[in-house]
Amino acid sequence: LFVSESEIPYFHLKSLVSSSFKTFRIEDVIDVVQVDEYYLVELFHGPTFAFKDVALQFLGNLFEYFLIRREKHAINQNYNDYITRTTIVGATSGDTGSAAIYGMRGKKNVDVFILFPYGRVSPIQELQMTTVTDANVHCLSVKGTFDDCQAMVKNLFNDQQFKKEYSLGAINSINLVRILAQITYYIYSYILLFRKKYLDPACLNSDILPKVNFSVPTGNSGDILAGFYAKQMGLPINKLFLCTNRNNTLYNFFVNGKYERSAEVHKTFSPSMDIQVASNFERYLFFLGNGNHELLRSWMHTFETTGKLHLPQSYVDFANEHIHSEYVTEEETISIISELYRKCQYVVCPHTAVGIQGAKKLCLKKKLTEPMVCLATAHPAKFVEAQKIAFNGKIPPTPAELSILFSLPTKVSIIENDLETIKNKIKKETNLKINNNKKW
């Protein structure tokens, strides 16, 4: 749908997709299950037990595919001293890092540098990154917040000389391939609703398909952007619910049009959502401004220089035609985890809990009755602290793939929150591999 034959031949693309998902623990890659009155889209059956695997396993193979193809072209042109390499740089609030590492580890001619905030990811999230000791993987624990990490990644890409010299590539949802891949599970989960008869299959013979609501726990806003694009493509979505934790800058925008950077990034039970500046929000604003790039540039300049962007109520009303928003407290997060286990014997991660509780509140507020689909973004075992509180100190069984991490050696560099320090680290690690090559 998104890739032309001239870019990637169909049989190559099919092979890339197939190899990307063979590491998942279930044949369908994702699943939909009913829990209470909600339909949960289980997106955590990949190698790192989080939704990021769906896009990043594919993206890792895509990077390798193009690098190998470029190298073959160079050899055919007798550029015998030419070796194509790329340096992948990304920031993570928890799940992107490990998914990117598992997608890139051992890839030919690829080095990957992952920045994550020191002390602000869960212990298992950190171990999923730092226990991968492959030579091409570099974990950088930054003394700052995710927003600091993300800002430095953006600054690296804005440094055109550095970007060209080290052939930078992106694994964050700055890279639109991430969003394109995530669109697929909105469509497929809708199909699964019929296949599992949660929606009446007889409706498929109707001219009008039944609409559903999707609730999306939101941090950097790539996941809900993918849902918005799916809705624009015609998927029968009534409303998207953008649900945040205490770091609720996006919630404020969709309620009153005020997008303001807070002085503090709050540490919560849902660390992957502990973000104040959502990088994909800019893409949504482009739509909100009717594709006017000059208007978007003006809005972003205002936000970047003042930390604030206030839009008139008319924009909020237009945004609410597609997206409603709610924020969820720490107490509500723990409460819904406990409630769902008590009623259904099903354990959700704290991020998924935010999405479910937000959906619960919004359906009451807006009097919405469509089937409620919630994205279950990670396996609960990755977030032990929330489980301890929700279950009075007891912890449900942890998958063996996660338990073993505590016994493995680690490789990580703890570094200052400083752009030049990051650059020097990248230079040091990569120069060893390019000194013998005339071209990067």
Side-chain angles (χ1 to χ4, degrees):
L1 182 61
F2 300 117
V3 184
S4 70
E5 277 274 336
S6 61
E7 188 71 29
I8 304 177
Y10 174 76
F11 69 96
H12 284 175
L13 182 61
K14 186 176 180 180
S15 176
L16 283 167
V17 171
S18 177
S19 63
S20 297
F21 299 124
K22 68 182 180 182
T23 57
F24 281 64
R25 293 181 298 281
I26 62 173
E27 186 177 355
D28 271 346
V29 179
I30 68 169
D31 197 9
V32 176
V33 297
Q34 184 169 3
V35 178
D36 204 10
E37 68 260 44
Y38 311 102
Y39 301 106
L40 302 192
V41 184
E42 293 184 340
L43 299 171
F44 49 73
H45 295 291
T48 71
F49 294 79
F51 78 100
K52 304 292 179 74
D53 287 322
V54 175
L56 284 166
Q57 291 296 303
F58 175 63
L59 182 58
N61 286 327
L62 206 58
F63 268 119
E64 185 177 50
Y65 173 81
F66 281 113
L67 284 170
I68 291 173
R69 191 168 80 177
R70 203 175 300 164
E71 185 175 346
K72 285 180 178 178
H73 174 74
I75 292 171
N76 290 337
Q77 297 298 316
N78 294 318
Y79 300 149
N80 294 323
D81 59 352
Y82 185 105
I83 295 180
T84 302
R85 298 192 64 86
T86 194
T87 304
I88 305 301
V89 183
T92 184
S93 55
D95 290 326
T96 292
S98 57
I101 287 169
Y102 278 70
M104 301 290 178
R105 64 184 304 182
K107 297 296 184 187
K108 186 178 179 181
N109 294 339
V110 176
D111 274 286
V112 56
F113 293 82
I114 299 297
L115 285 64
F116 66 91
Y118 178 76
R120 284 180 173 264
V121 299
S122 79
I124 285 182
Q125 283 179 314
E126 181 166 341
L127 287 171
Q128 283 185 304
M129 294 183 279
T130 60
T131 55
V132 178
T133 57
D134 296 48
N136 72 322
V137 173
H138 313 278
C139 296
L140 309 180
S141 182
V142 178
K143 295 179 180 178
T145 66
F146 169 76
D147 287 342
D148 295 325
C149 296
Q150 181 165 253
M152 285 193 286
V153 168
K154 287 184 176 180
N155 286 332
L156 288 173
F157 280 90
N158 287 334
D159 184 335
Q160 295 303 313
Q161 182 178 345
F162 188 85
K163 178 182 176 181
K164 182 178 180 180
E165 184 177 357
Y166 291 92
S167 188
L168 298 190
I171 53 87
N172 283 91
S173 43
I174 296 169
N175 191 322
L176 196 59
V177 171
R178 281 270 306 271
I179 307 300
L180 299 183
Q182 288 173 267
I183 291 171
T184 62
Y185 54 68
Y186 281 91
I187 297 170
Y188 191 53
S189 62
Y190 185 78
I191 293 170
L192 286 176
L193 289 171
F194 288 103
R195 187 179 294 175
K196 302 187 83 168
K197 298 184 179 180
Y198 295 139
L199 295 180
D200 186 357
C203 295
L204 293 171
N205 297 319
S206 171
D207 292 334
I208 301 176
L209 292 171
K211 289 188 175 184
V212 299
N213 298 313
F214 272 91
S215 184
V216 187
T218 302
N220 217 20
S221 71
D223 214 2
I224 195 155
L225 183 72
F228 174 71
Y229 286 162
K231 186 177 190 296
Q232 293 299 101
M233 290 167 62
L235 189 67
I237 298 175
N238 177 50
K239 299 289 184 182
L240 290 156
F241 294 173
L242 186 159
C243 301
T244 75
N245 61 20
R246 189 180 174 192
N247 298 287
N248 58 1
T249 53
L250 286 174
Y251 161 78
N252 289 330
F253 176 84
F254 283 93
V255 171
N256 57 35
K258 295 180 179 179
Y259 185 53
E260 299 182 356
R261 183 188 289 116
S262 173
E264 180 184 2
V265 178
H266 302 288
K267 191 173 181 178
T268 72
F269 292 124
S270 44
S272 297
M273 296 161 61
D274 292 350
I275 298 169
Q276 293 285 354
V277 182
S279 65
N280 284 286
F281 185 54
E282 186 174 345
R283 286 176 171 145
Y284 180 72
L285 287 176
F286 182 68
F287 163 81
L288 209 58
N290 199 30
N292 185 330
H293 64 275
E294 292 295 342
L295 179 60
L296 177 63
R297 182 180 290 123
S298 171
W299 284 349
M300 294 311 298
H301 177 73
T302 298
F303 179 73
E304 288 163 6
T305 54
T306 68
K308 298 178 181 180
L309 174 65
H310 294 178
L311 297 187
Q313 185 62 36
S314 58
Y315 283 105
V316 178
D317 294 340
F318 183 44
N320 288 163
E321 291 180 15
H322 306 278
I323 298 174
H324 291 317
S325 188
E326 186 58 83
Y327 83 95
V328 175
T329 67
E330 293 287 85
E331 294 76 16
E332 288 174 319
T333 300
I334 296 300
S335 177
I336 195 68
I337 293 173
S338 301
E339 178 186 325
L340 289 176
Y341 184 72
R342 186 175 64 253
K343 292 170 67 176
C344 308
Q345 290 73 57
Y346 189 95
V347 184
V348 297
C349 87
H351 308 78
T352 306
V354 168
I356 294 171
Q357 180 64 21
K360 185 177 183 179
K361 294 165 74 172
L362 279 168
C363 285
L364 288 172
K365 279 184 183 179
K366 306 295 182 179
K367 297 181 172 57
L368 299 174
T369 59
E370 294 82 6
M372 190 66 249
V373 184
C374 301
L375 300 190
T377 53
H379 194 286
K382 297 182 73 169
F383 307 97
V384 174
E385 291 306 312
Q387 291 187 53
K388 284 182 179 177
I389 297 173
F391 305 131
N392 298 316
K394 297 179 181 179
I395 303 173
T398 300
E401 298 95 327
L402 298 180
S403 295
I404 197 173
L405 296 175
F406 292 93
S407 63
L408 298 178
T410 60
K411 185 180 77 169
V412 61
S413 298
I414 300 173
I415 60 176
E416 297 298 326
N417 180 13
D418 175 70
L419 182 61
E420 289 305 313
T421 302
I422 301 292
K423 283 184 176 180
N424 290 335
K425 182 67 174 176
I426 293 172
K427 291 176 182 177
K428 179 182 176 182
E429 297 292 343
T430 56
N431 280 341
L432 295 174
K433 299 172 183 176
I434 65 171
N435 284 337
N436 295 326
N437 301 320
K438 293 182 180 179
K439 205 168 186 179
W440 175 256

